[in-house]
Amino acid sequence: MVIKGVLFDFSGTLFRIEPVRDWLAAVLREEGVDVPPEDFEPYVTGLTEAGALPGGPPPLRIPERLTDAMARRDLTPALHREAYTGLARTVALPDPGLYDALYARHMRPEAWQAYPDAVEVLKGLRRAGIAVGVVSNIGWDLRPVFRAHGLDDLVDAYALSFEHGLQKPAAELFRIACTMIGRDPADVVMVGDDRIADGGAAALGCEVRFVDHLPVPERPDGLRSLGLVPG
């Protein structure tokens, strides 16, 4: 196919959230909460197993009271906050203010790192005149992350689940994204890390290509290897 547009997922595709250990350590410093090393490690383990970091490891178990919020978490900011602060609160942290601080931290640009080849691939698509959109299941506005990392000028449109009341794999969200970038779905490639959520674009006629949701140092050229940029 001749690629005329590319849609990218956000978390695990273009960017990766910081590790749970760094997330917690940063918030403890910012909040001025001292935690002995022997307590810090159990907190890291607990938050990891709880799946409390959005974009991080999934929960080992979802408490029944949070089942609905987790299933619909990317439809509204309130549901997203309810789901993830609820998971964090299953871990007994030393200060009750840490739960909201942890949630706030994950939305800040410094909590995210672009994959090494993201800028190169996006610049290549721009030079080739290929339209670019971001399609994300998310409960908050990720545009500041792209601006802070210098990628916003390389993206033509954002189709975010909470802004449209739709979650991937709903084909309609991908349809909206294709309309926003002005491309026919048959000429568009969807790139993501989730075979189910991102794979939903195939129902619309998009070609779908996948990358692995790996830590940044472990995936230096996952986007580059997809052959999205002509030549």
Side-chain angles (χ1 to χ4, degrees):
M1 69 180 291
V2 176
I3 301 174
K4 297 182 180 178
V6 180
L7 302 176
F8 290 95
D9 173 51
F10 167 56
S11 175
T13 299
L14 290 175
F15 284 87
R16 171 84 182 210
I17 191 67
E18 63 190 341
V20 174
R21 178 182 305 278
D22 297 350
W23 176 55
L24 176 59
V27 170
L28 291 174
R29 286 194 304 271
E30 292 164 359
E31 297 297 307
V33 178
D34 292 323
V35 171
E38 62 270 20
D39 292 335
F40 180 77
E41 293 303 327
Y43 292 145
V44 171
T45 299
L47 291 168
T48 299
E49 293 179 349
L53 175 58
L60 295 185
R61 182 184 66 85
I62 300 174
E64 186 174 351
R65 69 182 185 280
L66 295 175
T67 301
D68 181 65
M70 281 296 291
R72 300 189 302 122
R73 64 188 181 276
D74 295 315
L75 293 176
T76 71
L79 283 169
H80 196 269
R81 177 180 287 274
E82 176 188 348
Y84 283 105
T85 57
L87 291 174
R89 285 189 171 92
T90 63
V91 181
L93 297 178
D95 186 312
L98 290 174
Y99 301 107
D100 286 334
L102 285 167
Y103 185 80
R105 165 79 187 180
H106 101 275
M107 295 185 286
R108 287 160 47 182
E110 59 265 36
W112 294 87
Q113 185 176 359
Y115 280 95
D117 53 352
V119 173
E120 173 192 332
V121 169
L122 290 175
K123 284 185 175 179
L125 293 171
R126 176 66 80 210
R127 286 193 300 271
I130 297 172
V132 170
V134 171
V135 188
S136 178
N137 279 352
I138 198 164
W140 49 276
D141 186 2
L142 51 71
R143 294 174 183 87
V145 175
F146 280 77
R147 286 196 293 269
H149 288 268
L151 274 65
D152 184 58
D153 288 343
L154 303 173
V155 176
D156 297 298
Y158 298 86
L160 310 182
S161 60
F162 81 97
E163 293 182 336
H164 298 281
L166 294 164
Q167 293 183 149
K168 297 182 293 186
E172 184 59 24
L173 189 58
F174 299 106
R175 187 187 307 278
I176 289 169
C178 288
T179 299
M180 292 174 76
I181 66 171
R183 297 293 187 268
D184 187 295
D187 299 323
V188 172
V189 174
M190 173 66 204
V191 178
D193 66 296
D194 189 315
R195 266 62 178 174
I196 295 175
D198 299 312
L204 196 62
C206 298
E207 182 179 327
V208 185
R209 302 180 188 181
F210 295 102
V211 290
D212 294 321
H213 190 147
L214 294 171
V216 168
E218 296 177 25
R219 210 195 77 196
D221 59 357
L223 295 168
R224 187 186 305 116
S225 67
L226 296 179
L228 300 168
V229 180

